[in-house]
Amino acid sequence: MIKIGILGSTGRVGSLLIDDLKDDKEAVLSCVHVLNKLEKILPENTVVTNDINVLFDESDVIIDFSIPVATEELLNAVVEGGKRKALVIATTGLNKHQQNLLLEASKLVPILYATNMSLGVAVLNKLVSLASKTLRDFDIEIVEQHHRHKVDAPSGTALTLAEYASNARDLNLDEVRISGRDGQIGARTKDEISVMALRGGDIVGRHTVGFYNDGEFLELNHTATARNTFSKGAIKVAKWIVRKDAHLYSINDALGL
Ligand SMILES: NC(=O)C1=CN([C@@H]2O[C@H](COP(=O)(O)OP(=O)(O)OC[C@H]3O[C@@H](n4cnc5c(N)ncnc54)[C@H](OP(=O)(O)O)[C@@H]3O)[C@@H](O)[C@H]2O)C=CC1
Ligand SMILES: O=C(O)C1=N[C@H](C(=O)O)C[C@H](O)C1
């Protein structure tokens, strides 16, 4: 049985990972990292810890749905602490330093980083790449919608979609991304790619990438209707990455896309 540890086990997605692993035939929940208090009843023998080192020692692979500072601690345990276990990282909102740390750690252990663990979004990324290239004169506008509790904006998924779009057009996303419009801002420029965030209610996650031209437009939309789409996706890729060599893998690698 593959021993899975969770960072962020008390969170919205982390607690679903605990539920999903209960009936799994190939993997078992071995350890949960708990910062404050865990309300859930755990399977017998699950180790509960607030020490990241114990999380490593008790797991074959760690799934992370937490916050960027916690992800940073996880990655530092690899880079500075000598820990060597496979990682599935789903936490979004990583800063440049944390992204570089991710790259550094992936030279030492296998890491799968995905801003969205759903199959649908993995396919959407590819469709966006195709449409951005083919519809070269169309204006690209990305809108993401999430629940009122989400703390980072825009979503990691929306930023990844924008990267697929800008890469397909040989543009530097940092130079062309627009994150808001207000006032006398002038007409839209040709290459800009806007990424706008909407927050409210209990929306699990909705991403729309629009391609707008004179006379026609195309909108590609993905809607997650259940949060366990992400927990189930993460468990699937955890099983895939556990025996891989050190490298930074994408979800496309795991899904064979
Ligand atoms: N890639 C994907 O498919 C998806 C990614 N996400 C991302 O996953 C992350 C978590 O989302 P969600 O579950 O909704 O968030 P929650 O806020 O519900 O959960 C965050 C978890 O992180 C824990 N945590 C907070 N601070 C620390 C710390 N310093 N050290 C260790 N653990 C800590 C929290 O513990 P406590 O409860 O004690 O505060 C909690 O368990 C977000 O970045 C989100 O964007 C979400 C859905 C899908
Ligand atoms: O915080 C969330 O809820 C989600 N976060 C991820 C993101 O930032 O893209 C993925 C998903 O849309 C849900």
Side-chain angles (χ1 to χ4, degrees):
M1 289 292 255
I2 299 166
K3 293 194 291 171
I4 296 188
I6 304 175
L7 181 62
S9 64
T10 54
R12 274 176 290 277
V13 186
S15 55
L16 294 175
L17 285 170
I18 296 175
D19 296 339
D20 293 340
L21 280 169
K22 276 185 183 144
D23 301 322
D24 204 289
K25 302 275 182 290
E26 301 157 66
V28 63
L29 180 65
S30 59
C31 185
V32 287
H33 184 278
V34 176
L35 197 61
N36 296 304
K37 195 164 181 275
L38 180 71
E39 306 287 352
K40 273 186 136 35
I41 297 169
L42 295 171
E44 233 183 316
N45 301 328
T46 307
V47 176
V48 180
T49 184
N50 61 5
D51 183 343
I52 214 98
N53 293 304
V54 174
L55 180 65
F56 272 94
D57 295 342
E58 296 294 334
S59 315
D60 296 325
V61 51
I62 297 168
I63 301 179
D64 164 30
F65 282 86
S66 61
I67 62 165
V69 289
T71 304
E72 188 173 332
E73 198 188 339
L74 190 75
L75 295 169
N76 272 329
V78 173
V79 174
E80 290 170 9
K83 296 293 180 191
R84 298 288 180 265
K85 295 289 169 68
L87 305 177
V88 171
I89 298 181
T91 301
T92 56
L94 303 186
N95 63 28
K96 279 274 180 275
H97 167 68
Q98 290 153 349
Q99 288 169 22
N100 287 334
L101 200 56
L102 185 75
L103 268 177
E104 226 181 302
S106 70
K107 292 174 187 151
L108 303 168
V109 296
I111 301 182
L112 188 145
Y113 181 60
T115 54
N116 197 300
M117 294 290 170
S118 76
L119 175 61
V121 165
V123 172
L124 178 62
N125 286 331
K126 296 219 135 204
L127 294 175
V128 165
S129 190
L130 174 71
S132 303
K133 238 182 251 155
T134 314
L135 308 175
R136 187 61 185 88
D137 293 330
F138 288 49
D139 301 327
I140 302 178
E141 300 273 314
I142 300 174
V143 180
E144 57 98 336
Q145 297 169 246
H146 283 88
H147 52 96
R148 62 166 72 92
H149 306 288
K150 185 163 177 60
V151 292
D152 57 314
S155 68
T157 306
L159 288 173
T160 301
L161 289 164
E163 267 164 30
Y164 272 88
S166 57
N167 287 344
R169 289 186 174 185
D170 291 322
L171 298 169
N172 179 340
L173 185 59
D174 288 338
E175 288 167 11
V176 296
R177 181 159 74 91
I178 303 287
S179 52
R181 294 190 180 100
D182 190 9
Q184 294 295 311
I185 56 162
R188 190 187 197 284
T189 60
K190 185 170 174 295
D191 283 337
E192 71 192 51
I193 296 176
S194 80
V195 185
M196 306 291 185
L198 188 153
R199 294 285 173 271
D202 63 355
I203 303 171
V204 174
R206 186 170 167 84
H207 292 87
T208 306
V209 185
F211 297 85
Y212 304 91
N213 203 1
D214 298 334
E216 60 174 325
F217 66 81
L218 169 71
E219 287 178 339
L220 302 175
N221 170 263
H222 176 270
T223 305
T225 53
R227 191 164 278 117
N228 67 7
T229 303
F230 308 129
S231 52
K232 286 184 188 302
I235 291 169
K236 182 172 179 175
V237 301
K239 291 175 187 172
W240 177 86
I241 202 174
V242 69
R243 312 234 182 276
K244 291 280 180 284
D245 293 329
H247 184 66
L248 183 56
Y249 297 94
S250 73
I251 192 157
N252 291 9
D253 297 323
L255 300 178
L257 293 175

